[in-house]
Amino acid sequence: MNKKQLPIYLTFLLSIILWGCAEEDSTSESPVLAKGYDRHVELHWPKTDGINDYEVWVSTENNSFSKRATVQDTMYMDFVNDLGNNLTLKYKIVGLNEQGENLEVGITQANTMDFSDEELINMVEYYTFRYFWEGAEPTSGMGPERIHIDGDYPQNDQSVVTTGGTGFGIFGIIAAMDRGWITKEQGVARFDKMVSFLENADRFHGVWPHWIYGETGKARSFSDKDNGGDLVESAFLMQGLLAVREYFKNGNENEKNLANRIDHLWKTMEWDWYTQGGHDVLYWHWSPTHEWEMDFPLEGYNECLITYILAASSPTHSIPASAYHKGWARSGGINTDVEAYGYPLHLKHNGSEAMGGPLFWAHYSYLGLNPKGLTDQYANYWEENKNHTLINRAWCVENPNDYKGYGKDLWGLTASYTITGYAAHRPGGDLGVISPTAALSSIAYTPEESLKVIKNLYYNYGEKVFGRYGFYDALSPENDYYPKRYLAIDQGPIVTMIENYRSGLGWKLFMGAPEIQEGLKKLGFESNP
């Protein structure tokens, strides 16, 4: 077993103990580990020298085994809809060497059982957390930009980490500590690795680039002139890091030290630099070679609200309130008065005014910033995000393009992989591709409607859409498109917003930061969750 497989194997063993929903075979020393869920069983076994392929066999009764799969991996998820439910299953793993000889690796047992809604939601949150835990880039501990299960990376970017996506996933790691999926000591060690990486990675006036090479900490260009600081992605990252600071600031010596190091990173971010010398607006990018040539002012409404909240809250490099009101809010031009499917929108969604933009606009800025009871002179943000979600859903239910599969249990348009590569799907810009993160990350706004999507995807689509890190990034029944690929920016909001729906943990931590409360007051917000 190699170094990367060992922690995955041990983590899985721990998860069996914590969940208590699997029984091992009477041969207690079997190296095969199995855990049963509702409609699938997850199996792990150690890699055996000289073995290239493994056969997975199952028996439901009388020790009569039938083959389920042949794999090269040492992990397999067996979806057992064809066998029934509430099953007692015996599994056998057989290794095959180059000569075609068989070697029995081990036998174990697992039970499946009908899940309650809470158990199903818990399972989805846990699996999605694993993207940022087991799937993390090993040198930096950060979230990889993408994980392709097929191992095909056309851009040769399998070691590239994402600042914003990592910030999203950080909330999931905090939730994992809180729920006992990992120990607090493990969480501290992972965050220590991340912070050490960020302390030494490329920064541009305190701001990190969008993409960073995980092995070196050097910036990877996002586009030709985007090779420097990315203020928005760094805001998404700091939203998560401040939650970590709040979680540990009153802890033991190691925890307090971690919190203090995060505080230093926070205080050395030069938000005011990104006003181009004092303009009443923030700018997305600055490059050491192209300077301000990208010239992308942050004007609402889109996913960038958190950038202004953090910039106004900075204790060292704060921006004036006028930048928010004149820049982001366009001196009141951010407001509109439109209605779609009976749901009003009061914020002018850039380029998507009639029915709202892609649904990630209701997620990215609100993973730590609690939209419940959050108001200013421009909007009630809970109502805005809820209506945005319901419009998106209503479009899919109406299904004006008559796409296969769309309905009350399959909806959600946002930015994700698509049949043409990558697209920001939205009402009016619909390619027949559903992105699970859209409905799942909206669960706080639409719990019943989002749960229907979870159930449909898991129970009816199964292995087509659900893998080792939760639901894959996109699907299109219309185009028979089921890529086994993940993106950090889509997995992060799922795990975080599910936890916010269940406990409000991320919201409580971020909103508990004293300077955030001061920044909100400075900009004219009221918060009464």
Side-chain angles (χ1 to χ4, degrees), residues 432-447:
V433 175
I434 295 295
S435 313
T437 187
L440 273 61
S441 301
S442 298
I443 193 167
Y445 308 125
T446 53

Side-chain angles (χ1 to χ4, degrees), residues 243-315:
V244 177
R245 187 195 72 178
E246 292 301 299
Y247 193 80
F248 287 121
K249 67 181 183 182
N250 296 318
N252 61 35
E253 185 176 349
N254 287 339
E255 294 164 2
K256 288 180 180 177
N257 180 58
L258 174 63
N260 288 334
R261 291 165 65 201
I262 291 171
D263 195 57
H264 180 72
L265 292 175
W266 160 234
K267 289 177 178 176
T268 51
M269 294 180 73
E270 298 178 28
W271 304 90
D272 49 351
W273 171 264
Y274 285 79
T275 62
Q276 280 197 37
H279 295 177
D280 271 330
V281 68
L282 287 169
Y283 289 84
W284 199 309
H285 316 91
W286 182 81
S287 161
T289 53
H290 303 285
E291 296 188 332
W292 302 108
E293 288 183 39
M294 291 288 288
D295 197 32
F296 197 137
L298 301 183
E299 298 173 323
Y301 180 74
N302 52 28
E303 74 273 27
C304 302
L305 175 62
I306 190 66
T307 314
Y308 279 89
I309 302 298
L310 288 167
S313 301
S314 171

Side-chain angles (χ1 to χ4, degrees), residues 93-300:
I93 305 299
V94 176
L96 305 176
N97 63 21
E98 291 182 353
Q99 292 73 40
E101 299 169 329
N102 296 345
L103 171 69
E104 185 174 294
V105 177
I107 296 176
T108 193
Q109 181 173 298
N111 297 326
T112 65
M113 64 219 70
D114 291 339
F115 271 14
S116 66
D117 290 350
E118 180 65 17
E119 288 171 323
L120 180 63
I121 291 170
N122 192 67
M123 180 195 76
V124 173
E125 182 181 352
Y126 170 71
Y127 265 83
T128 312
F129 143 74
R130 296 192 335 189
Y131 182 98
F132 300 95
W133 191 250
E134 298 168 10
E137 195 283 318
T139 303
S140 65
M142 301 271 283
E145 167 67 14
R146 64 190 89 243
I147 295 178
H148 293 176
I149 300 302
D150 58 10
D152 181 22
Y153 292 87
Q155 300 179 47
N156 192 30
D157 59 353
Q158 56 266 46
S159 67
V160 172
V161 300
T162 169
T163 47
T166 296
F168 301 159
I170 280 172
F171 289 99
I173 297 174
I174 298 172
M177 290 188 296
D178 222 51
R179 292 190 174 275
W181 298 336
I182 59 174
T183 66
K184 185 175 283 191
E185 291 73 21
Q186 287 176 304
V188 169
R190 174 60 58 84
F191 288 132
D192 179 77
K193 177 182 281 191
M194 284 186 191
V195 169
S196 295
F197 175 79
L198 291 168
E199 287 170 337
N200 294 286
D202 282 349
R203 297 175 79 186
F204 306 90
H205 293 275
V207 171
W208 293 274
H210 187 145
W211 285 340
I212 310 174
Y213 288 103
E215 305 102 329
T216 66
K218 298 300 181 184
R220 169 162 171 153
S221 297
F222 189 76
S223 63
D224 289 343
K225 296 182 179 180
D226 184 3
N227 63 345
D230 186 311
L231 192 66
V232 175
E233 294 294 319
S234 294
F236 296 150
L237 173 62
M238 188 50 63
Q239 183 179 208
L241 286 173
L242 285 178
V244 177
R245 187 195 72 178
E246 292 301 299
Y247 193 80
F248 287 121
K249 67 181 183 182
N250 296 318
N252 61 35
E253 185 176 349
N254 287 339
E255 294 164 2
K256 288 180 180 177
N257 180 58
L258 174 63
N260 288 334
R261 291 165 65 201
I262 291 171
D263 195 57
H264 180 72
L265 292 175
W266 160 234
K267 289 177 178 176
T268 51
M269 294 180 73
E270 298 178 28
W271 304 90
D272 49 351
W273 171 264
Y274 285 79
T275 62
Q276 280 197 37
H279 295 177
D280 271 330
V281 68
L282 287 169
Y283 289 84
W284 199 309
H285 316 91
W286 182 81
S287 161
T289 53
H290 303 285
E291 296 188 332
W292 302 108
E293 288 183 39
M294 291 288 288
D295 197 32
F296 197 137
L298 301 183
E299 298 173 323

Side-chain angles (χ1 to χ4, degrees), residues 283-495:
Y283 289 84
W284 199 309
H285 316 91
W286 182 81
S287 161
T289 53
H290 303 285
E291 296 188 332
W292 302 108
E293 288 183 39
M294 291 288 288
D295 197 32
F296 197 137
L298 301 183
E299 298 173 323
Y301 180 74
N302 52 28
E303 74 273 27
C304 302
L305 175 62
I306 190 66
T307 314
Y308 279 89
I309 302 298
L310 288 167
S313 301
S314 171
T316 51
H317 294 280
S318 182
I319 62 168
S322 57
Y324 174 72
H325 295 292
K326 294 180 181 179
W328 172 255
R330 304 174 188 257
S331 298
I334 194 173
N335 282 126
T336 187
D337 187 17
V338 300
E339 184 177 292
Y341 300 103
Y343 304 108
L345 291 176
H346 299 295
L347 296 175
K348 188 179 294 183
H349 289 227
N350 295 342
S352 306
E353 183 179 343
M355 288 179 282
L359 267 185
F360 73 87
W361 292 7
H363 306 146
Y364 288 4
S365 278
Y366 304 98
L367 303 184
L369 180 66
N370 189 353
K372 285 187 176 181
L374 185 67
T375 61
D376 69 358
Q377 67 190 74
Y378 307 109
N380 177 316
Y381 291 88
W382 181 264
E383 293 302 321
E384 189 76 13
N385 289 344
K386 183 175 181 179
N387 288 346
H388 181 192
T389 304
L390 289 170
I391 291 168
N392 193 292
R393 175 181 178 272
W395 167 277
C396 295
V397 172
E398 183 186 49
N399 193 11
N401 298 314
D402 198 28
Y403 289 131
K404 183 179 179 181
Y406 277 36
K408 293 181 179 180
D409 57 3
L410 192 64
W411 57 270
L413 305 178
T414 194
S416 72
Y417 281 131
T418 192
I419 51 176
T420 57
Y422 184 86
H425 311 102
R426 65 191 189 285
D430 182 1
L431 301 177
V433 175
I434 295 295
S435 313
T437 187
L440 273 61
S441 301
S442 298
I443 193 167
Y445 308 125
T446 53
E448 293 182 6
E449 296 88 344
S450 295
L451 182 59
K452 287 180 181 178
V453 176
I454 293 174
K455 289 182 174 180
N456 183 29
L457 290 173
Y458 181 68
Y459 292 117
N460 297 323
Y461 288 86
E463 65 269 28
K464 284 185 174 183
V465 301
F466 193 81
R468 67 177 67 198
Y469 304 126
F471 290 109
Y472 296 121
D473 195 58
L475 68 149
S476 176
E478 175 73 19
N479 297 283
D480 194 28
Y481 173 74
Y482 300 95
K484 294 188 175 182
R485 297 184 169 187
Y486 296 100
L487 290 172
I489 56 172
D490 290 335
Q491 298 309 103
I494 294 174
V495 62

